[in-house]
Structures are given as C-alpha cells and as structure tokens.
Amino acid sequence: MSGVAAKLSKDRAVAEGLGTNSKPVKFCDQDFEELRAQCLSSRVLFKDDHFPACVSTLGYNDLGPHSPKTQGIVWKRPTDLCPNPQFIVDGATRFDICQGALGDCWLLAAIASLTLDKDILARVVPQDQSFQSNYAGIFHFQFWQFGEWMDVVVDDRLPTKDGKLVFVHSAEGDEFWSSLLEKAYAKLNGTYEALTGGSTIEGFEDFTGGISELYELNKAPADLFLIIQKALKAESLLGCSIDITNAYDTEAITSRKLVKGHAYSVTGAEEVACRGRREQLVRIRNPWGEVEWTGPWSDDSSEWNSVDPQVKASLDRQSDDGEFWMAYSDFIREYSKLEICNLTPDTLTGNEQHKWNITLFNSSWVRGSTAGGCLNYPGTFWTNPQFHIKLEEPDHDHDGSSHEPCCTVIVGLMQKNRRQKKKFGEDLLTIGYTLYGLPDELRNQTDVHLNRDFFQRSHSVARSDTYINTREVSKRLRLPVGDYLIVPSTFEPLKAGDFCLRIFSEKATKSLEVGDVAKADPYEPQITDRDVPEDFRNIFHRLAGDKGEVTAKDIQTILNRILAKRTDLKSDGFSLPTCREMVSLMDMVGTGTLGLLEFNILWIKIQKYLEIFKRRDEERSGTIDAHEMRLALQDAGFSLNNKIQQCITWRYSSDDLTIHFDGFVACMIRLETLFKMFIGLDKYHSGRITLNLQELLHASLV
C-alpha cells in the first residue's frame, strides 16, 4: 500500500510540473544546493553514499570486484591529480573528450555533439560550479530520462590507475567536466560498466529529451545531404557508425583509418567549389581524439589544393585532433548508419524552426495483463496498452493531394531502465508498434479498450520498421488527417517491462490512452421478499437458525461446501475475509450479518459471476487466465484502466497467471464495494472525494 501511495504522490507532483527543465527531479532525493551548503559550512568534502568510491560502483562483470581490470584502481579527487584542476577551461568543446578504458564511445560521441550547442550544454552541465569558487567536492548534472529531467549529484572522486584517470578525460589533463559528467551518467544507470555498448541516439536523447531517426546509408534517400544540413542548422545532434559483421571487427581499423563498430559524431556539412564543380563534404568527429580518415578530403590531402584558400582556411583544421572532412559520397559508402536527434520544445535553445509538439505516455507491459505480444499472437495482442491520437491540422507543406492533407509525426517507443537491469542478466526486450486508422464510429469511443474483434477485421496503416532489441524504435510518418490507434508491444507475449511512448508532431495533436477510465455498472438483482423462492427460504432458515441472520462464517461454510462438489471449478476455498466483505457489501443496516433478502441477492450475484466465469473459461480448465479476466470484468459491468487491471492480476492471479473461481468472486465483490463506497461519498457527483485520515482508515479497513 505504501508503494501505491508513493506512486500517487509522484503523479500529483508531475502534474504540478516536476520533471520539467525548470523543475527537475532530484535523483536519489539529493539536493545539490543543500548538500554543497552543508559541506561548505562543515568544511568537509562531499562523499556520495548513493554512488560510493568502491568497486561495486565500477561494475558487476568485466569491471566486477574480482576482475583484473579493477585491480589497482584508486579513487582520487582532481585536487590530488593536478595542482590547479579546472571544471571547464575556455568553454567546453568537443576536443575535451578522450575515451578511456570504458566501451562508451557512443556516449562520448553524443557529448562531443552536445558541445556544439552552448544552450543545451548549459542545461546538462550547469555552469555554477568550479574548483575555485565554493568548491566542496560536489558537482551536479542534468539528464532526461523517459519523460523527466533528472538532477544527478556526484562527488568528484574518480577512478585512477597509476595516477591517471581510467575513463574519459581531457587531452590537457587538468579539465574535469567530461569525467564528472560520465560519472553522473554512470550513477544514473547504476554502474560505469552499465554504459558499455550503446547507440549515440541514446546519449542524444538523454541530453536533450529529443527523439531520434535512424537512416541506413546503403538505402540513403536522395535528399539526405540536405536533411543533414537542415538538421545541423536546426541544432539537431547527429552521429554515425560502421556496422561490424563479427566480434573480430569490433574497433577494427579500416585501410583508410575508420574504426568499425565505433560511434562518431557528424559536426558539419558544406558544399565547396573544386575544379569547376560543387563537392559535398561532411565533417566527422572521432571521440578518441585521434585515428582519422586518410582518404579524399582528409587533412593534408591534395583535394584541398584546388579549393579557395579562404574557404580552405575556414574548413580544414590541419590537425590530428580526431575531426576530419570527407566527401559525402564516401561518407554514405564507408559508414553504415546515420542517427539524427530532433529537439523538443522543452530543450533550451533560441531557434524556433525545429520545435515539435510532443505527447508522452508512460505505461507498462505486465505479464497476464498488458503484455500481449505482437500480431503473431492474436489471442493476446489486443490486451496491449492502446493509445488514440487525433491529427486535425495538416502540415503547411503536406505531400498529399488537396483532398488528402497530411500530417508529419514521429512515433517513438522507448523501453525504460534496461541498463540498470544488465547486472541482473536482463537484456533489452524486442519491441515495436502498429498503427490503425479508427473508423468514424470509434473516434469518440475512448473509454473502452478495443478487443480482439477489432484487430481481426482491421488492417494496420503503419508500423515500426521491425521488432528489434534496441532502447527505442522510432519512425517518421506522414499520415492523412484523421484518428489513429497506436499499439506498442514486445515481440513475444508475457514479457514484462516499462515503456514510454512519444508522439512528435509538426502541429498540435490530441492524444489519450484508450480505456483510461474507471466506471462500473454491476448487475443488481431487483427483487423483494416476495420474490425469494421457498426452497431458498428453507436453506436460509437452516443456516440462520434462531438468530434469523447469517454471518460471514455461515456464508463461508455453505459456499465451500458447494464448491467441494463442483469438479468443473478450481478453487482454493472462500476465505473468511472475502466472506466478510460479502457481508459488508450487502449489509444495508450495519448489523454485520445478512437477512433473507440480502442473502438471496448475494446468492443471485454469485450465480451471475459463475455464469460469466464459465463463459470466459474457453478451455474448460476450471480457471480463467489473466487475459480472459479483462473480458470477464467487462461482462460484469466494469470498465477499468490498465493500471487497475495490472493491480488485479497481481492480487488475484496465481504464479501461472490463472485465476480460480473464489479469486474471481473475491475480485468482483471487492470492486463492487469500492465503487459503491465512492459513490456514497461523492455527495456532489463531482468525480472526486476528500477524506481525512480517520475516514481513509475506515474506508480501507471495511
């Protein structure tokens, strides 16, 4: 229950703006200003208990406690490494980033691109910190994580070996912003080792909150060079890489000095006049700070001799700094992938031309409830979370005919917190999504989760390119004006995980989660004393005896006696608390017992629940599975959102995700009780109630 309360409290805080750029979440509840003030007041340097200077912070496998790679590592502060450490010298630049012994070149390539936009950099790397003014051994950085901005505090103890930093470092050796940034990002993801392997896209998105697109360069669109130029002009972040075909290719260097399986950043795209024709060039940055392209247009290549000297001076740096130019034609031939991160309205920047409208949903795939798998599993696909988007305003430059205006949207599905789960042996899930057009009759039906019948008769209008085990799948779509349903899923059913779904659109959209309501219209028998059958009266009087009423214990006895004779139902027997709740539901006068009419109504309800249970037990197993439970709840008059469905699965299903008859009845009784309680307390029919502590305790314990 405390976990539920914490979740509700967080939901309210988010509604009040927590997690935005201006009000980031304090990671681990650590407040940078308060902690720094405490350290300055007590004259001690900060030590971070949440990310301590010990081997468990380094990793769990290759960097684990018994790994040779962690032997001899000593944690030192910058003040122990050089006489005059600096946080940032003459502004943070992409030349400050040299890779260490960690396989996070993807992250460093993203950091290098980040330095090209000072506004975005200032968001991620707050400027109000240094080793000279108010130094207390504490620093902080801000990252975007799954829809929220996080402020992450770290101390400045860094892993060293033989007096040198083990991981990322500056070329000069006295500048430490990049080392501390890497440490903060490692803390956010659990360990340094959790950062091993990844895509530059991931770093781009976590520094900006943007959404990325992936281009396979062997299938590059004809206008890709123009797309690159526009993206750079719009302050987007770009990265590229060369695919590897086997383990031996990892970081193998080609004959022209390009590194396979290595993350580069794209930092420029220009056209120059050369020998009477226009040559398209792109500028690439290697975060290693060395190993550069040696082909045409590389440093000192002969092609530069045919370029206007002033143009050459402005473009060709003539230095072995890891940054180089190459012909665009060579770029798409030599590299495999290009990644572009589009920025959001929440990104700090003065340029308006690249702003998108964004809608974000956080949800989960839960075993037995909303983890339905892909379309290959039609029996459960429909149980996945469903999201409705309404595209009403077309782009100004839409591609459709005048009779079919089109809207540009980028749909991104991102799985959450998978790096933290690496140490537990959990890999990325294989994910994707499918879009459906909604017919007119369903456009306003947003309170009911669409069922299997809809998906059997409907064809998808778009989908992610493929189901793949990456953190995010995204795709740019051009869709006619209209209403659409997005269904995100894992490839296989019963794969649990949290995700966020983002919809970026050039124009504003209306979006909502389908079935995100809770309402009830349970079966209510309309009978009087005269309607009670004579044989039922006799049974009641035998149970009630002289007292004339039945107790929860009496109800438990008779129900379990009847269940024991049923071979078509699996049951663990009705518990006394469940039978007490039956009494609470039906007891209109507060005696704690049931009279004849009350007991008869309860009996009719249980017969109705039995009818629903048997109908939904399609395999005649004596149970219903957690997916069938959703349909059974609908039959019983309950429309519940995914979060409540997940709670029901957790509370009432067995380990094999089946629900026995007694559990099903207990769930129905509990739901009826809660809905009736709310209706009784909602005196003004506002959909809201206010309870003091005593009222909350009384309502919860009934």
Side-chain angles (χ1 to χ4, degrees):
M1 186 67 75
S2 60
V4 174
K7 180 66 171 63
L8 291 173
S9 177
K10 182 178 179 182
D11 289 345
R12 291 177 180 176
V14 169
E16 295 171 359
L18 184 67
T20 59
N21 258 345
S22 58
K23 193 177 179 181
V25 175
K26 294 176 175 60
F27 189 65
C28 296
D29 292 324
Q30 291 175 298
D31 186 294
F32 170 73
E33 297 292 348
E34 289 182 5
L35 291 170
R36 182 168 67 172
Q38 291 171 9
C39 291
L40 291 171
S41 175
S42 59
R43 297 187 178 184
V44 297
L45 296 179
F46 177 63
K47 291 184 178 180
D48 187 4
D49 294 334
H50 291 279
F51 202 59
C54 63
V55 69
S56 62
T57 295
L58 296 174
Y60 43 87
N61 190 6
D62 287 346
L63 295 177
H66 305 295
S67 170
K69 295 181 180 180
T70 60
Q71 304 306 309
I73 285 183
V74 178
W75 296 78
K76 292 186 177 182
R77 298 185 188 269
T79 50
D80 301 322
L81 295 172
C82 64
N84 186 30
Q86 303 290 321
F87 186 61
I88 297 177
V89 179
D90 297 329
T93 71
R94 55 193 181 279
F95 307 113
D96 297 335
I97 306 152
C98 299
Q99 189 173 0
L102 193 62
D104 61 349
C105 60
W106 61 274
L107 175 63
L108 307 191
I111 296 173
S113 291
L114 177 69
T115 63
L116 299 177
D117 190 306
K118 303 306 179 187
D119 290 329
I120 301 175
L121 179 69
R123 158 54 61 192
V124 177
V125 185
Q127 306 296 295
D128 60 339
Q129 43 193 346
S130 76
F131 289 95
Q132 285 69 44
S133 175
N134 290 327
Y135 170 67
I138 183 172
F139 293 84
H140 70 130
F141 302 85
Q142 293 186 5
F143 307 103
W144 180 91
Q145 285 284 280
F146 317 119
E148 294 182 321
W149 282 93
M150 298 277 184
D151 190 86
V152 182
V153 167
V154 290
D155 64 34
D156 63 349
R157 294 177 294 177
L158 298 167
T160 70
K161 187 175 285 190
D162 300 325
K164 296 181 179 179
L165 292 174
V166 175
F167 303 132
V168 70
H169 54 278
S170 68
E172 299 299 325
D174 62 348
E175 195 171 3
F176 291 92
W177 72 269
S178 58
S179 304
L180 293 168
L181 172 64
E182 181 188 47
K183 180 176 183 179
Y185 197 66
K187 177 180 178 178
L188 186 67
N189 286 281
T191 63
Y192 275 97
E193 187 173 355
L195 305 185
T196 301
S199 166
T200 308
I201 282 179
E202 188 173 343
F204 284 170
E205 293 182 331
D206 288 352
F207 293 151
T208 67
I211 194 167
S212 296
E213 300 175 79
L214 175 65
Y215 291 92
E216 298 286 350
L217 294 181
N218 62 351
K219 298 180 288 185
D223 60 345
L224 183 59
F225 183 77
L226 180 61
I227 291 173
I228 294 172
Q229 284 188 311
K230 287 184 175 180
L232 290 168
K233 185 177 180 180
E235 304 175 69
S236 299
L237 304 180
L238 293 84
C240 59
S241 61
I242 303 172
D243 287 345
I244 59 174
T245 55
N246 56 64
Y248 299 103
D249 273 353
T250 304
E251 296 192 345
I253 300 174
T254 69
S255 60
R256 289 184 169 183
K257 301 297 183 182
L258 296 179
V259 186
K260 295 183 177 181
H262 190 61
Y264 291 79
S265 49
V266 179
T267 61
E270 301 286 347
E271 281 192 85
V272 299
C274 177
R275 296 169 186 163
R277 61 186 181 87
R278 304 295 294 178
E279 184 75 48
Q280 295 176 331
L281 304 179
V282 292
R283 188 174 64 203
I284 313 295
R285 165 72 180 162
N286 183 346
W288 281 354
E290 54 187 20
V291 186
E292 296 186 18
W293 165 252
T294 59
W297 297 99
S298 61
D299 294 354
D300 299 318
S301 69
S302 60
E303 286 79 10
W304 290 107
N305 297 330
S306 302
V307 174
D308 180 279
Q310 289 186 333
V311 174
K312 175 182 177 182
S314 66
L315 298 182
D316 185 16
R317 296 185 179 277
Q318 296 286 346
S319 61
D320 187 22
D321 53 26
E323 192 168 44
F324 53 87
W325 290 95
M326 64 191 305
Y328 171 71
S329 56
D330 285 327
F331 169 71
I332 62 173
R333 184 184 305 112
E334 298 287 342
Y335 285 91
S336 308
K337 292 184 175 68
L338 171 70
E339 301 158 338
I340 301 177
C341 182
N342 303 283
L343 303 183
T344 75
D346 201 31
T347 304
L348 289 180
T349 178
N351 193 329
E352 293 296 324
Q353 63 180 307
H354 62 282
K355 295 300 182 61
W356 296 78
N357 294 285
I358 179 171
T359 301
L360 181 143
F361 296 100
N362 285 292
S363 191
S364 302
W365 295 297
V366 176
R367 292 181 71 250
S369 175
T370 53
C374 71
L375 278 165
N376 293 353
Y377 305 90
T380 55
F381 174 76
W382 69 276
T383 65
N384 286 298
Q386 301 172 6
F387 302 90
H388 180 181
I389 62 171
K390 186 181 291 288
L391 304 178
E392 297 178 315
E393 190 176 356
D395 304 342
H396 289 304
D397 58 346
H398 66 83
D399 291 338
S401 69
S402 59
H403 302 292
E404 191 181 44
C406 287
C407 308
T408 297
V409 294
I410 302 176
V411 179
L413 171 63
M414 179 182 292
Q415 49 188 315
K416 299 167 65 173
N417 305 315
R418 303 308 293 189
R419 284 193 179 274
Q420 291 90 327
K421 296 182 179 182
K422 276 186 173 183
K423 61 183 177 182
F424 304 115
E426 294 189 34
D427 294 324
L428 288 163
L429 300 171
T430 302
I431 61 172
Y433 58 80
T434 310
L435 276 80
Y436 295 85
L438 285 174
D440 292 342
E441 64 270 19
L442 293 178
R443 287 180 178 177
N444 295 319
Q445 183 180 320
T446 58
D447 57 345
V448 178
H449 198 90
L450 296 183
N451 61 25
R452 180 175 178 175
D453 292 341
F454 170 81
F455 296 103
Q456 286 183 325
R457 67 174 186 266
S458 303
H459 296 287
S460 63
V461 298
R463 62 181 63 193
S464 53
D465 287 332
T466 183
Y467 277 78
I468 189 170
N469 59 338
T470 57
R471 187 175 79 153
E472 182 176 48
V473 292
S474 63
K475 187 174 184 180
R476 181 184 293 253
L477 304 170
R478 299 188 70 83
L479 300 170
V481 168
D483 290 55
Y484 297 89
L485 189 75
I486 305 176
V487 183
S489 73
T490 58
F491 182 77
E492 295 178 312
L494 304 180
K495 298 293 184 180
D498 299 322
F499 68 85
C500 64
L501 179 72
R502 296 186 292 165
I503 299 103
F504 279 45
S505 56
E506 288 194 4
K507 299 296 180 68
T509 63
K510 296 179 181 178
S511 310
L512 72 159
E513 183 169 359
V514 175
D516 193 22
V517 296
K519 63 181 184 179
D521 183 23
Y523 173 61
E524 290 292 350
Q526 302 298 315
I527 63 171
T528 65
D529 279 331
R530 294 192 300 271
D531 300 317
V532 179
E534 190 62 33
D535 57 345
F536 189 87
R537 289 177 185 272
N538 295 333
I539 294 173
F540 174 80
H541 290 310
R542 285 200 299 271
L543 278 173
D546 295 337
K547 60 184 182 292
E549 293 179 320
V550 294
T551 65
K553 185 65 177 176
D554 296 330
I555 294 172
Q556 182 188 30
T557 299
I558 187 63
L559 289 180
N560 286 340
R561 189 178 298 163
I562 293 171
L563 275 179
K565 299 177 181 179
R566 298 288 298 250
T567 59
D568 58 336
L569 297 174
K570 288 188 178 179
S571 172
D572 299 318
F574 284 97
S575 69
L576 188 57
T578 294
C579 294
R580 284 173 175 158
E581 192 154 355
M582 292 179 187
V583 172
S584 178
L585 174 66
M586 304 306 306
D587 179 15
M588 296 295 104
V589 293
T591 62
T593 58
L594 298 184
L596 172 63
L597 179 61
E598 293 166 332
F599 184 54
N600 190 211
I601 293 174
L602 173 64
W603 182 254
I604 295 172
K605 280 180 173 288
I606 293 174
Q607 293 297 309
K608 182 68 173 180
Y609 297 151
L610 175 61
E611 175 192 330
I612 293 171
F613 188 86
K614 294 285 290 180
R615 180 166 67 248
R616 290 304 171 189
D617 179 17
E618 296 179 357
E619 297 180 355
R620 301 294 181 263
S621 63
T623 66
I624 58 175
D625 68 33
H627 290 105
E628 293 169 331
M629 182 66 169
R630 186 188 291 270
L631 295 172
L633 286 164
Q634 291 178 10
D635 293 344
F638 296 101
S639 294
L640 306 174
N641 64 26
N642 285 330
K643 291 180 181 178
I644 300 173
Q645 297 277 359
Q646 291 160 8
C647 290
I648 288 172
T649 298
W650 174 78
R651 182 165 184 170
Y652 293 102
S653 67
S654 305
D655 290 341
D656 61 356
L657 300 178
T658 60
I659 297 173
H660 292 188
F661 180 64
D662 57 293
F664 176 70
V665 173
C667 178
M668 297 298 107
I669 294 293
R670 183 64 174 160
L671 286 172
E672 281 202 43
T673 300
L674 291 172
F675 273 100
K676 286 187 176 181
M677 185 184 300
F678 184 90
I679 292 170
L681 294 170
D682 185 14
K683 297 178 181 179
Y684 303 104
H685 309 292
S686 64
R688 293 178 177 273
I689 60 174
T690 301
L691 301 178
N692 60 35
L693 179 59
Q694 291 190 34
E695 290 170 333
L696 174 64
L697 291 173
H698 176 74
S700 301
L701 293 172
V702 167

